[in-house]
Amino acid sequence: MPILTGLLPLGALLLSLGTAEPRELEAGARALDGCWYTSGGCAARTGVTPTRAIERDPSQVWRYEVRGKIESEPLVWGSQVIVAAAEGPGRRSLHVLGLDQGDARVYHPIRATTPLSPSVWEDALAIRPAVNRIEILRIAGSRLLPYRTIQSPTSLSAALLFEDQIYLREGDELVRYDLRHKEPSWRTRVAGSFRGTPSVRGDYVFAVYYDDSGYARLARVDRSDGSVAEDVVAGHHQGQVPDEDAPLSIRVLESEAFVHYPLPIVGTSGSDHYFAAVPMHGLRFYRGRGASVHSYGTQPTAWNGGWIAL
């Protein structure tokens, strides 16, 4: 069985900006203090937190055995750790543990045909048990209570919770829901098809769509009304377009936005690259030079004005 290990202090779980006091960043660019609430840590998936980096070997304080296979990085909010696991064909589970002792607070089995891809905000937890369904649950003591369902005749991306908002791709569209309202706040349509999971930083949502010529375009979308503020070409796959459900993620750093593609981008040397770096000034695209391609093994993480990647 996979084992989840608790480390002390919390900084051992999280990447940090360093030992200097973190400067003020746009909303979504940095995980809230003591939290790690979606893949990549925060809404922009930068991997940034105000938690200080530790300067010694971490100490193990607890171990928790998980049935099956852990499918997501552990998420942290306040005193709770949330873990998603696959237990067998069509069977998955959510585990809520105590941060300090690793004590099991909730075990929640669920029928699911896809990785759950959880995202948490306060007591709300979004999961994706099927390609066309998002479930929003409430963490209530020793139980996870159903709160609402988003169902679609087409595929849905994993949901990104941010404050009281839900961002996701629905079919070819980019959509925002509010937690308390059934109908979406807005839908964004483009001359093409959105793919992958969006990221949020400041007043904008960042999402990739493929235009009618097969070029991938990174769009900067206004969070308030869903209008496309601007977009830039961020690569192509020699005419191929990823399937609706193909994974694609965006990490919005300081001077670059990194797109992780499910299909290769062919470089000038003929080699395959799966990452594109789109240059930015602030949160606006820099049009003086085009996107560069990279062969990283992981999504880059922000570090002192630059980034770290395998």
Side-chain angles (χ1 to χ4, degrees):
M1 291 184 177
I3 296 175
L4 186 67
T5 301
L7 302 174
L8 189 68
L10 180 59
L13 292 175
L14 311 178
L15 294 172
S16 167
L17 279 174
T19 56
E21 286 298 321
R23 68 175 182 81
E24 193 66 29
L25 296 175
E26 299 90 0
R30 184 178 69 205
L32 302 179
D33 195 8
C35 298
W36 197 255
Y37 38 88
T38 194
S39 174
C42 59
R45 309 181 193 277
T46 57
V48 174
T49 169
T51 305
R52 292 178 179 273
I54 62 173
E55 298 178 357
R56 64 184 188 278
D57 291 342
S59 301
Q60 179 180 305
V61 295
W62 53 259
R63 293 164 67 91
Y64 178 82
E65 292 192 6
V66 178
R67 300 180 191 176
K69 176 185 177 183
I70 295 174
E71 287 192 308
S72 70
E73 55 182 306
L75 305 182
V76 176
W77 192 286
S79 64
Q80 300 182 117
V81 181
I82 296 100
V83 182
E87 297 188 355
R91 301 197 315 274
R92 285 176 163 81
S93 59
L94 291 163
H95 304 253
V96 181
L97 315 175
L99 177 64
D100 292 334
Q101 304 296 327
D103 51 301
R105 298 182 178 179
V106 180
Y107 168 67
H108 185 83
I110 185 170
R111 292 189 177 276
T113 55
T114 63
L116 296 176
S117 304
S119 177
V120 64
W121 191 275
E122 295 180 344
D123 65 341
L125 178 62
I127 59 171
R128 180 176 175 259
V131 295
N132 65 341
R133 191 170 88 251
I134 298 292
E135 298 284 351
I136 309 295
L137 309 171
R138 291 289 192 184
I139 304 172
S142 61
R143 294 186 297 167
L144 295 179
L145 303 178
Y147 181 71
R148 66 172 296 181
T149 298
I150 300 173
Q151 188 92 26
S152 174
T154 60
S155 71
L156 300 169
S157 72
L160 174 61
L161 284 179
F162 184 66
E163 298 173 342
D164 62 347
Q165 303 140 21
I166 309 166
Y167 296 92
L168 69 156
R169 176 197 55 79
E170 186 170 334
D172 292 338
E173 302 172 346
L174 184 67
V175 185
R176 172 186 147 180
Y177 289 88
D178 290 344
L179 275 174
R180 292 177 294 276
H181 300 130
K182 180 179 179 181
E183 296 301 320
S185 301
W186 48 253
R187 291 180 177 274
T188 298
R189 299 177 178 88
V190 290
S193 306
F194 280 102
R195 291 290 184 265
T197 306
S199 292
V200 167
R201 180 161 178 172
D203 295 329
Y204 301 104
V205 186
F206 291 82
V208 168
Y209 74 91
Y210 285 80
D211 64 23
D212 294 337
S213 298
Y215 281 88
R217 306 188 72 92
L218 179 60
R220 184 171 64 95
V221 178
D222 193 297
R223 281 176 53 202
S224 65
D225 60 11
S227 60
V228 177
E230 60 174 343
D231 61 33
V232 295
V233 173
H236 62 90
H237 314 293
Q238 295 184 318
Q240 297 184 75
V241 174
D243 295 336
E244 268 194 1
D245 197 39
L248 184 153
S249 61
I250 303 156
R251 200 158 276 199
V252 190
L253 308 187
E254 285 299 280
S255 56
E256 288 84 15
F258 280 92
V259 180
H260 186 188
Y261 290 108
L263 296 176
I265 298 172
V266 179
T268 54
S269 64
S271 55
D272 290 344
H273 305 273
Y274 286 88
F275 289 88
V278 178
M280 296 190 302
H281 281 318
L283 296 184
R284 296 181 178 275
F285 298 135
Y286 177 73
R287 297 177 182 272
R289 68 179 191 274
S292 57
V293 294
H294 302 271
S295 298
Y296 295 143
T298 60
Q299 265 282 26
T301 293
W303 182 267
N304 286 339
W307 65 87
I308 298 172
L310 294 177

